[in-house]
Amino acid sequence: MKYAPLLSPTTMQPLVLYDIPGEVPDKSGYWSPNAAKCRYAIRYKRLPYETRWVAFPDIESTMRALGASPTGKRNGKDVYTVPVLQDPNTGVIVSDSFAIAEYVDRVYPTIPDSVFESEGEKALIKAFDDALGMATRGALRWMMVCAKEVMVEEVKEWFVTMHEERLGMKWEEISPAGSELRREQKDALKAALDVVDGWYRRSGNGKWVQGDRFSYADCLVGAYMFWYSRVLAKEDWEEVSEWNRGRWAKVLKDVEEVCDGSY
Ligand SMILES: N[C@@H](CCC(=O)N[C@@H](CS)C(=O)NCC(=O)O)C(=O)O
């Protein structure tokens, strides 16, 4: 079901998207995958927005102060995450990338620029979101270790300690460069992307997950590729992006293009 627009992109105040800053080569700061998912949706819809940076160690205190909802539990305690969207036009604060995409699509439908074609499609794309996360899980620790390299300098030590505590292992054991374990993590990513490539092949050879129609599913695959392209060593991203006949380099390029490219 489509809703009548409440506010127009030309008269609205910019949305505020909270994200974690990094020191990426292009100096944009953007690297985080979860924020990228809903940022692509916002950009696809041509909605004005600004980024507010929150250092990783300050996420919980900043989000509590803002009145954002936690997105889960860890050891029985509420977990606060980014992205979080603050909409100055409505006063609404939304936590979680998927909920943010749903919110902007509902409140700012700007037909035909919807990322969900129907209410019913949301269930399937949510399942797709979860499936992508599960499929690529085997490479998560590799990405985690690489992500340290793009963290802002002051946070690097905190980032290491936080992961050591959460995983109960030394940083050097998580994904040692050149090790058999790293090889397995890379193979796990390759196997995962073969599965995702199989999903694309079912879609009638179109450019998008759903063939000819762009949807939030494409924002999701695009966000994973964006993340890999930002955190992986240059030669590793070059290799990964060429797997499956260059599909991943192309997906990232296509999503960036349709979501109005440059940051
Ligand atoms: N389901 C959430 C997950 C968000 C998430 O895990 N964000 C990470 C950064 S990419 C975070 O804020 N982590 C904080 C923590 O783990 O304490 C979403 O899709 O927005």
Side-chain angles (χ1 to χ4, degrees):
M1 169 184 181
K2 302 286 184 195
Y3 297 82
L6 299 181
L7 286 155
S8 126
T10 50
T11 54
M12 64 188 272
Q13 298 176 66
L15 304 170
V16 178
L17 191 61
Y18 288 84
D19 192 357
I20 307 166
E23 273 169 6
V24 287
D26 72 355
K27 310 266 183 267
S28 65
Y30 297 109
W31 67 274
S32 155
N34 289 303
K37 295 174 182 175
C38 55
R39 189 170 55 245
Y40 278 139
I42 291 169
R43 295 182 69 96
Y44 180 72
K45 297 170 70 62
R46 307 293 185 265
L47 298 173
Y49 74 99
E50 58 190 52
T51 300
R52 211 159 284 171
W53 298 116
V54 193
F56 219 130
D58 302 334
I59 293 175
E60 175 167 351
S61 58
T62 310
M63 291 311 136
R64 275 184 189 276
L66 191 67
S69 310
T71 54
K73 294 261 184 209
R74 191 178 292 124
N75 304 325
K77 276 188 60 195
D78 284 339
V79 176
Y80 291 82
T81 55
V82 294
V84 163
L85 182 87
Q86 185 178 25
D87 183 351
N89 304 286
T90 58
V92 170
I93 293 169
V94 190
S95 308
D96 186 80
S97 54
F98 197 91
I100 294 170
E102 283 184 298
Y103 172 83
V104 292
D105 222 38
R106 181 169 55 79
V107 178
Y108 304 101
T110 52
I111 298 162
D113 294 331
S114 298
V115 291
F116 299 105
E117 194 173 60
S118 65
E119 289 294 304
E121 191 189 57
K122 288 182 190 171
L124 284 179
I125 299 187
K126 180 71 184 93
F128 183 85
D129 191 0
D130 295 346
L132 260 181
M134 281 187 283
T136 54
R137 218 180 148 73
L140 189 57
R141 292 182 180 190
W142 177 23
M143 300 306 149
M144 224 178 237
V145 163
C146 295
K148 179 196 156 201
E149 303 311 319
V150 302
M151 282 291 128
V152 291
E153 208 49 48
E154 315 82 78
V155 165
K156 282 189 172 155
E157 205 181 311
W158 177 92
F159 188 79
V160 166
T161 311
M162 180 267 280
H163 280 107
E164 287 187 332
E165 281 172 10
R166 282 190 193 169
L167 297 174
M169 57 170 77
K170 287 262 146 256
W171 181 256
E172 296 71 29
E173 296 164 355
I174 300 175
S175 178
S179 68
E180 182 56 26
L181 180 60
R182 170 71 66 87
R183 175 86 252 151
E184 284 167 21
Q185 292 165 341
K186 194 168 181 177
D187 289 349
L189 184 62
K190 176 121 187 38
L193 294 185
D194 283 347
V195 170
V196 182
D197 181 60
W199 297 341
Y200 273 93
R201 284 157 172 261
R202 289 268 155 98
S203 69
N205 281 330
K207 191 167 170 181
W208 309 117
V209 174
Q210 301 199 63
D212 294 333
R213 192 170 64 79
F214 182 86
S215 72
Y216 189 58
D218 302 293
C219 299
L220 296 170
V221 184
Y224 275 84
M225 296 310 143
F226 171 78
W227 178 33
Y228 300 157
S229 74
R230 291 298 165 120
V231 303
L232 284 176
K234 191 168 172 290
E235 59 280 12
D236 282 326
W237 166 243
E238 276 168 11
E239 185 185 339
V240 170
S241 68
E242 288 308 315
W243 288 344
N244 305 106
R245 304 159 311 282
R247 178 173 309 276
W248 313 114
K250 185 170 180 324
V251 164
L252 182 58
K253 182 172 160 288
D254 289 344
V255 172
E256 288 278 335
E257 239 167 56
V258 80
C259 297
D260 199 20
S262 63
Y263 289 98

